[in-house]
Amino acid sequence: MVFVTSNLTRIVLWWFATVVFWCSEISGAKVKHVTSSHWLPATATWYGSPEGDGSDGGACGYGSLVDVKPFRARVGAVSPILFKGGEGCGACYKVKCLDKSICSRRAVTVIITDECPGGYCSGGKTHFDLSGAAFGRMAVAGDHSQLRDRGVLNIVYRRTPCKYPGRNIAFHVNEGSTNYWLSLLVEFEGGDGDVGSMHIREAHSTEWLKMSHVWGANWVIVRGPLRGPFSVKLTTLSTGRTLSARDVIPGNWAVKATYTSRLNFSP
């Protein structure tokens, strides 16, 4: 008996193989979600211009990204207890103030891009130093300026998944990188938003090489000569989910270039 494979069957088989291939790139022993239903107490202030974006770069190393969407007007600095030596960079939180006479019932989502080490942020306190725009958005309509005039506020916060519709995780090659010292900045990580560990794999190799956390959202590997293209594997700090982007950084990579993967964590 002779079986004839139709074009439709070939398409279905190709689609199935593609889905299996890409799904195999994101893994975890058990899928967990970073969302918390519990609101926790904290305090908040604001910095920068009243309607501004707050940080000009910040201690996470995102640079000019904080001035454009999706970061724009949604950024904040946090005290060391949430900054976690830089490993808290990229995490997302919902915040809202408590005075019903001026505060909106709707929470504002902010992305951690900076650290505030002193003042209200010292002494093990949980504090958010928000951009002027993010702080003002906690107010009811028309009262943004009045809320900013309050200075420091009592707020509640909770962790929430990061969402970057239409964007995948990207890796920026930091200035100064060479074939012996390669430094990467992680951008637009959905879901947990934070990074607990990173590895790279060279061309024609099966070995994952561990990178070291330098500062903020920046990681580095010192050895060489390193040969691209490079695959990058990152594991989130909060829930241990893993993503592997195959050959995301080409062999002819350039310093200060950003390379976008085809993957991202789901919220």
Side-chain angles (χ1 to χ4, degrees), residues 29-95:
K30 182 179 181 181
V31 175
K32 302 177 182 178
H33 298 282
V34 75
T35 306
S36 172
S37 59
H38 301 291
W39 291 96
L40 301 172
T43 51
T45 48
W46 63 277
Y47 69 118
S49 60
E51 294 293 340
D53 305 321
S55 299
D56 182 13
C60 288
Y62 295 124
S64 60
L65 284 180
V66 302
D67 299 322
V68 296
K69 292 183 178 180
F71 285 88
R72 187 175 185 180
R74 298 176 59 203
V75 306
V78 288
S79 52
I81 196 169
L82 295 180
F83 190 71
K84 302 173 185 176
E87 291 186 340
C89 288
C92 296
Y93 292 88
K94 287 187 178 295
V95 297

Side-chain angles (χ1 to χ4, degrees), residues 2-263:
V2 178
F3 294 93
V4 178
T5 304
S6 67
N7 287 335
L8 179 60
T9 302
R10 291 191 184 96
I11 292 171
V12 170
L13 290 173
W14 174 85
W15 176 86
F16 179 78
T18 302
V19 169
V20 170
F21 173 79
W22 286 116
C23 286
S24 68
E25 297 296 288
I26 302 178
S27 63
K30 182 179 181 181
V31 175
K32 302 177 182 178
H33 298 282
V34 75
T35 306
S36 172
S37 59
H38 301 291
W39 291 96
L40 301 172
T43 51
T45 48
W46 63 277
Y47 69 118
S49 60
E51 294 293 340
D53 305 321
S55 299
D56 182 13
C60 288
Y62 295 124
S64 60
L65 284 180
V66 302
D67 299 322
V68 296
K69 292 183 178 180
F71 285 88
R72 187 175 185 180
R74 298 176 59 203
V75 306
V78 288
S79 52
I81 196 169
L82 295 180
F83 190 71
K84 302 173 185 176
E87 291 186 340
C89 288
C92 296
Y93 292 88
K94 287 187 178 295
V95 297
K96 59 182 179 179
C97 55
L98 302 175
D99 186 342
K100 295 180 180 179
S101 68
I102 195 170
C103 296
S104 171
R105 296 174 59 186
R106 184 176 59 187
V108 175
T109 299
V110 295
I111 307 163
I112 303 311
T113 63
D114 204 354
E115 180 183 24
C116 58
Y120 291 108
C121 297
S122 61
K125 300 173 185 175
T126 303
H127 185 82
F128 289 79
D129 198 16
L130 304 175
S131 69
F135 192 94
R137 286 183 180 180
M138 291 191 292
V140 296
D143 285 344
H144 299 174
S145 295
Q146 291 89 326
L147 186 67
R148 283 190 289 266
D149 289 342
R150 297 276 183 101
V152 60
L153 293 176
N154 290 317
I155 66 165
V156 289
Y157 75 98
R158 64 179 174 87
R159 191 73 180 273
T160 191
C162 297
K163 299 177 182 179
Y164 299 110
R167 290 183 181 269
N168 290 325
I169 290 179
F171 302 95
H172 178 80
V173 180
N174 289 320
E175 188 173 2
S177 290
T178 69
N179 291 332
Y180 293 85
W181 188 91
L182 179 62
S183 177
L184 303 177
L185 169 71
V186 182
E187 301 174 352
F188 307 122
E189 179 195 337
D192 293 358
D194 53 23
V195 180
S197 67
M198 274 184 62
H199 296 74
I200 67 167
R201 187 176 65 198
E202 296 180 88
H204 311 301
S205 174
T206 59
E207 180 184 6
W208 286 103
L209 306 174
K210 186 175 182 179
M211 302 187 77
S212 299
H213 181 234
V214 188
W215 63 279
N218 297 277
W219 295 74
V220 70
I221 184 168
V222 183
R223 63 177 292 167
L226 297 165
R227 304 185 186 281
F230 301 110
S231 300
V232 181
K233 178 172 67 175
L234 66 84
T235 301
T236 68
L237 178 68
S238 299
T239 63
R241 298 177 70 188
T242 298
L243 176 149
S244 302
R246 296 186 179 182
D247 298 336
V248 63
I249 300 175
N252 61 341
W253 58 270
V255 173
K256 297 195 287 187
T258 300
Y259 300 100
T260 303
S261 73
R262 299 184 183 182
L263 304 167

